[in-house]
Amino acid sequence: MSARHRVALCTLGGTIASFPHAGGPGLLPGEQSPNLRPVIERLLPGVEITEHSLAQVPSAAVDFDLLRSVVTHADAEVTAGANGVVVTTGTDTLEEVAFALDLMWSAPTPAPATSGSSSS
């Protein structure tokens, strides 16, 4: 089955890319974000997911240079035919990243969506 829609997934690291600390409570940063494409494609058949890691940083390390890189990447993906862009980042700055990307995005396509993960 060919995909009707393509969504570009852009990962920045953060909580979603962390793993449980073997020596006790808490999380440790991972070396790379988990491969979410197979899970998403299974949940959303007919949607093609392209995945690209732009960074592997904790929330506190997200800066304006990285946000500009996200906007440049998202613009290239939309120009290449993506119907949407999802950005994963840490939960500590999720709202700030979403707000900044909304302000920085000028294309008629919706601004890149952000997604974080919290640990229980």
Side-chain angles (χ1 to χ4, degrees):
M1 165 193 278
S2 64
R4 295 182 311 266
H5 299 288
R6 182 169 71 83
V7 174
L9 176 62
C10 173
T11 62
L12 303 180
T15 308
I16 196 167
S18 299
F19 60 94
H21 188 281
L27 296 172
L28 295 172
E31 292 183 20
Q32 65 184 32
S33 291
N35 183 359
L36 301 173
R37 187 180 52 121
V39 175
I40 296 169
E41 287 178 340
R42 191 169 48 248
L43 293 171
L44 301 171
V47 176
E48 175 189 356
I49 305 295
T50 56
E51 191 169 1
H52 183 77
S53 177
L54 280 183
Q56 189 62 30
V57 298
S59 292
V62 173
D63 59 17
F64 287 110
D65 287 336
L66 180 54
L67 292 175
R68 281 189 284 276
S69 294
V70 170
V71 170
T72 299
H73 176 73
D75 183 58
E77 289 287 351
V78 168
T79 299
N83 300 95
V85 179
V86 174
V87 179
T88 63
T89 186
T91 54
D92 291 343
T93 57
L94 180 62
E95 296 88 353
E96 292 83 354
V97 168
F99 181 69
L101 291 176
D102 187 52
L103 291 176
M104 297 168 78
W105 187 251
S106 61
T109 304
T114 57
S115 174
S117 172
S118 59
S119 60
S120 306

